[in-house]
Amino acid sequence: MPHRLRPPQLVPAVLLMVAAIGGCSASASPAPDRPDPARRTTAAARLSHALPQDPIPMVLPATGADTRLTVGLGTFGQTVSAAVTARCTHDTGRPRPQGPPPMFVRLGALPDLDLLERDGFNGGPAPDVPSVLRTAANSAEPGAASADGSGGDSDGVVRRCASAAAAAVRRLDTLSSPLQSKWWSKLDALGNRPQVQRALAKVPECLERRHNLRVNNEDGFFALVDSRLAEHADDATALVREDRELAGAYADCMRPVEAVREPLRMKLRERFVAENSREIAVLRSKLGPAVQELEKRHGVRISFPAL
């Protein structure tokens, strides 16, 4: 998993979740441990549901815009897993396991600067989730017996439901995760290119000159984000405002870096696709139908963040 930037999920004040998604399973993305006051209300117009004609950008992102597809695919797998778990526990007479809903998780190594500039580090829409996940808990009584008598065996229920959830997304994982893992490794090596290092070295100067933010590097910037947002932890309005201002500064100063990195990624992806032609052919022919089959079977609609 590439991590050229310090992942903002290390910033506890707002639990900024910027990480690479290595697969489609429910364990692929980190989850906050408390509600986040900086989350904004979802606007339906800021979600897209159309699968791309070519799934390559969705699995092998090379630009910030590509990552909207990537995080949508990852969140779709998480949502299917969560829905299967919820229905399984309900059918066995157990309440649905508590936890945060599926959410979009940005990719720190491929920053989507347009969305960051608009929404801040911690804003943006939430994915569509089925009704089984929109309720606080299902109607089953804890300890109630299931039809096969296993409802009272809590550990057995958990294992069986976890197995069912994993099985539901196994095909999706098999199609996308191995290729995506290889792609992350290729992307990580780009950070050592001299032209990329030169561009990154100019970011602190830009932040100070244009935005009056004095830091030595990106780690220093995210430490500053942590400090600034912690000051507004009890004021949601101020927190959102500060978050957007800092994210806007970051997007502004990272645009020259992305202007260097994106063409390199695009060329690298062309070579990667050619070198993995057999796996790519399978991906192109089977990923879309696999997503559509899961949508139909589990009542989960894939969704992507949109401008």
Side-chain angles (χ1 to χ4, degrees):
M1 226 182 285
H3 289 293
R4 302 309 303 176
L5 309 183
R6 177 191 174 188
Q9 74 264 27
L10 299 181
V11 182
V14 290
L15 300 164
L16 300 175
M17 293 173 297
V18 180
I21 297 175
C24 299
S25 67
S27 62
S29 65
D33 57 10
R34 61 183 173 84
D36 187 344
R39 293 294 293 180
R40 259 82 79 190
T41 302
T42 299
R46 292 161 64 189
L47 289 177
S48 170
H49 300 282
L51 282 169
Q53 291 186 340
D54 187 353
I56 297 305
M58 186 161 57
V59 177
L60 312 176
T63 69
D66 287 347
T67 66
R68 298 168 208 162
L69 301 173
T70 308
V71 301
L73 179 64
T75 303
F76 175 71
Q78 296 167 30
T79 306
V80 170
S81 293
V84 169
T85 299
R87 293 189 180 103
C88 175
T89 53
H90 180 274
D91 291 345
T92 54
R94 289 283 175 177
R96 179 166 63 85
Q98 296 301 298
M103 60 192 70
F104 295 130
V105 180
R106 294 193 183 106
L107 309 187
L110 282 83
D112 187 343
L113 300 182
D114 290 335
L115 284 188
L116 279 176
E117 195 166 50
R118 187 191 69 185
D119 296 327
F121 286 115
N122 207 51
D128 278 349
V129 296
S131 58
V132 70
L133 297 179
R134 287 197 293 267
T135 57
N138 62 33
S139 59
E141 292 294 331
S146 64
D148 62 4
S150 63
D153 179 3
S154 180
D155 290 341
V157 169
V158 169
R159 287 193 299 269
R160 181 147 45 86
C161 292
S163 178
V169 295
R170 186 170 294 126
R171 181 58 175 159
L172 206 60
D173 282 335
T174 300
L175 286 168
S176 61
S177 294
L179 270 174
Q180 195 173 74
S181 295
K182 290 169 65 175
W183 177 237
W184 294 144
S185 297
K186 293 287 187 181
L187 283 186
D188 195 44
L190 287 182
N192 297 321
R193 298 280 186 91
Q195 60 268 51
V196 174
Q197 291 294 314
R198 287 193 296 269
L200 284 169
K202 296 177 182 178
V203 171
E205 177 186 356
C206 171
L207 289 169
E208 181 173 6
R209 177 170 49 86
R210 295 169 66 99
H211 302 281
N212 198 30
L213 299 170
R214 183 171 297 181
V215 297
N216 293 324
N217 49 38
E218 286 179 309
D219 281 349
F221 172 76
F222 287 118
L224 178 65
V225 171
D226 187 3
S227 175
R228 289 279 185 92
L229 296 180
E231 295 174 4
H232 303 294
D234 297 324
D235 185 340
T237 300
L239 184 63
V240 169
R241 182 177 62 250
E242 190 77 8
D243 174 45
R244 285 184 171 177
E245 289 179 1
L246 290 167
Y250 180 77
D252 177 39
C253 292
M254 285 296 292
R255 289 193 184 280
V257 178
E258 286 302 280
V260 172
R261 292 196 295 198
E262 284 193 358
L264 293 175
R265 297 191 200 109
M266 296 292 286
K267 291 180 181 178
L268 181 63
R269 185 167 66 186
E270 289 179 10
R271 293 197 298 271
F272 185 88
V273 168
E275 292 167 357
N276 297 272
S277 58
R278 182 175 299 178
E279 295 92 334
I280 293 296
V282 172
L283 182 74
R284 282 177 162 151
S285 66
K286 296 186 176 181
L287 184 64
V291 169
Q292 292 167 343
E293 193 275 334
L294 287 173
E295 285 184 314
K296 182 177 180 180
R297 176 178 296 183
H298 300 289
V300 176
R301 190 182 187 193
I302 195 167
S303 56
F304 309 97
L307 282 175

